[in-house]
Amino acid sequence: MENTNAIKPVNPAVKVIRNLWENSGMLVIFILLFIILSIFVPYFFTWRNMIGLGLSVSMVGMVACTMLFCLASGDFDLSVENIVAFSGVTAAVVINATGSIFIGVLAGVLGGGLIGIINGTIIAKAGINALITTLGMAQIVRGMAFIVSGGSAVGITNMAFFNLGNGQFLGMPNPIWITIICFVVFGVLLNNTSYGKNTLAMGGNMEATRLAGVAVDKIKIMIFTIQGMMAGFAGVVLASRMTSGQPNTSIGFSLDVISACVLGGVSLSGGVAPIQGAIVGVLIMGTVQNAMNLMNIPTFYQYVVRGVILLIAVLIDRFKQTNTKN
Amino acid sequence: MTAYLEFKSVSKQFPGVKALDDVTFSVQSGEVHGLIGENGAGKSTLLKILSGAYFPSEGAVYINSQAMDFQGTKDALDAGVAIIYQELNLVPEMTVAENLLLGHFPRKKSGFIDFKTMKEIASKELSYILEEIDPDQKIKNLSIGQRQMIEIAKALLHNADIIAFDEPTSSLSDKETIRLFEIIKNLQKAGKAIIYVSHRMEEIFKICNTVTVFRDGKKIETFTDMSKVDHDILVSRMVGRDIKDVYSYRQREQGQTVLEVKDLMGPGLAKPASFSLKKGEILGFFGLVGAGRSELMRLIYGAEKHSGGAFYLDEEQMKINSPRSAIEKGMFFCPEDRKDEGIIPIRSVNENINISVRRHSMKAGLFLDKKKERETTDSFISKLQIKTPNRDKDVGSLSGGNQQKVILARWLAEDVKILIMDEPTRGIDVGTKNEIYQLMYQLTEEGKSIICVSSDLPEVMGVSDRLIVMRDGEIVTSFERDEFSEETILSKALPDKAEN
């Protein structure tokens, strides 16, 4: 059977599509989804809506960049949503206290980084499971966010700070630019540096990587630290967009980020983490949400639809894998 | 007496390989039938067909003169076939009784598990095998040997009439081995048909009535009278040529001491270990399972932290506290367990080879030099004749021998001074073995030194210039090549009779 397949001349166009489907099936699905929505959903394919879509996925996109490294190394981080809240509040409080935007942003990012270092150190040095560590840390950090803010939103008085999240460059809002830059930077880090390659190797076989002379503990701590800083930065951007630091924001955000990565074909057991997959995963999630809003689908149903999409995507992927094996 | 189990013209074709080629042989009730052959000779394929995991491409398995049509392992189990694998299929956190009856828990009328009956059945079954085990004990608290006995009990509980053992003694202590042999003898008396797969020739002679030799997927010969065969005959049938070919040792120049280990202590060692390694030397380490060979190597490589002692490289003291520090000194390690500690199976050949050496070729201290990495990989693929479709293939899909070559390439890309090879040819076919030995001679001729650790005595004797024997976590003695004798080395490696 294999032989007859090989002899039969294959239409080059079919070949290209088959290749694309096998290597980046989710990208194909996204393109089809996008075309269908553009045709059938009014207002979907308008510049205004595209900008809105971009803005809505920017937060998930930024954090997905670093979550990708976490997943690639075989771990994950459930504390990012709380770091977002904590750093946003911290930035707000510090800006109000010092009057300096720079110090405020720095405090938010470094605060997130500090939490990341603690996460990474506990996971790498004490060998505690990432699920428990980051779940515990999530509680602590959410509590800290409430403590720092005194339990309610912290309004920011320095208007210049709002530029970060609401300003535009070449007609596109800043958060979208930031997300694009993040994907480029972390894509290069993942594929073109030993930091990225070692991360993937760790997810593929931790002990073998250690015996190959890679400082695995150091890299693990680095992954979580950068993850914390990125979540902190995302929190600062969010605070800027909302013009205040909100201690109870972004609940469920960590799982949104992980879902988006998995949707794009990132393996939960580590070692496989295509950055283009993460991008497509983020876009599919955001596009579906956006279209449902345009179609006025009630929120309750939106949850159901998002869950169903995630499961279908993972099932398609598994189906593809078992097919290629046979 | 009629044959209870028969293989009639069984073949198994995989894409590109014929793993079994027209194999016909039979096992009687009350017979212990030994199967021997090199790795890749077809023994495991045969067991997999018997277990229902593989379906034969041609021919069939007959039990009691009835052709079997196993669609899966459950069908084989129902037909009374049990296979005791090297890797045991027990749930460590569950009790002995629960493991024995897993999938067949007795239930009360209410639907809840009837623990009392379960325990009774388990105790009864255990009483045939190993009385001293408490059925409420958790599996994780048992020794490997005891676990193996539990597997046998499980097989008996399912009324197995055909029991196949796959290398059962590889992780057993001597005492446990004796116990296992007693049990096999009892099973034989009870009229079970038994298949016994082992590399250990002396075991075959001890307990088998019949032995069949396999080579390259074919049955070579069945010997029904064990008094008419000896070790040499079996080996020549297994290898198909003179065994001395495999090692083809060559005399080489040796220089001054490169590495000196003094009073090294750490986990797995009973007494401080001291030894030295000369430039251009292949130093063999031999010992039985649990002698502390691999533990000592892991300490030298820094994979495990040592608690005392010192290292001298070219007479200069050095600190080794991590694999990385060993690597920086030019000392590299090919681990015993390639799959879990050597390769990164889901990553490509290219990445597996470059994982260490790439730190010397970073652009601007940060970016990978992908072109150079590809060149490195390609040069090693051709130099070591690594059989892979391309450099981007995942290493996990290559054969054991090629995986070992990838690990070797990873280190040879570096500036090697000392190479530690733990079980360098485990699970590798004869042809590749020979290539690896040749490479070892070649490397030492270039002035590198090699420590070769093996539990395969003919291998360490075949390639080493000098041999250190370990026993119970300490270095016992060492031999120069002209003093090598299988008997004296083994007698040093075996625990003292008085202690048993």
Side-chain angles (χ1 to χ4, degrees), chain A residues 3 70 83 101-102 120 147 184 225 237 257 265 272 324:
Chain A
N3 281 336
C70 245
I83 297 178
I101 294 170
F102 177 74
I147 293 168
V184 171
T225 308
V237 174
V257 175
V272 180
T324 42

Side-chain angles (χ1 to χ4, degrees), chain A residues 188-189 191-194 197-198 200-201 203-205 207-215 270-273, chain B residues 298 301 303 323-324 327 339-347 351 355-356 358 362 366-368 370 410-411:
Chain A
V188 171
L189 275 178
N191 292 311
N192 296 297
T193 67
S194 65
K197 290 290 179 190
N198 288 340
L200 288 165
N205 187 342
E207 180 64 6
T209 309
R210 186 177 79 97
L211 291 181
V214 173
V272 180
Chain B
R298 291 176 67 86
Y301 186 59
R324 204 189 174 95
I327 286 170
K339 218 171 78 208
D340 287 341
E341 299 179 349
I343 57 163
I344 297 146
I346 56 174
R347 307 302 303 178
E351 283 183 29
I355 186 167
S356 179
R358 63 164 54 121
M362 302 296 279
L366 179 66
F367 297 103
L368 306 178
K370 291 198 171 181
R410 176 190 295 168
W411 298 141

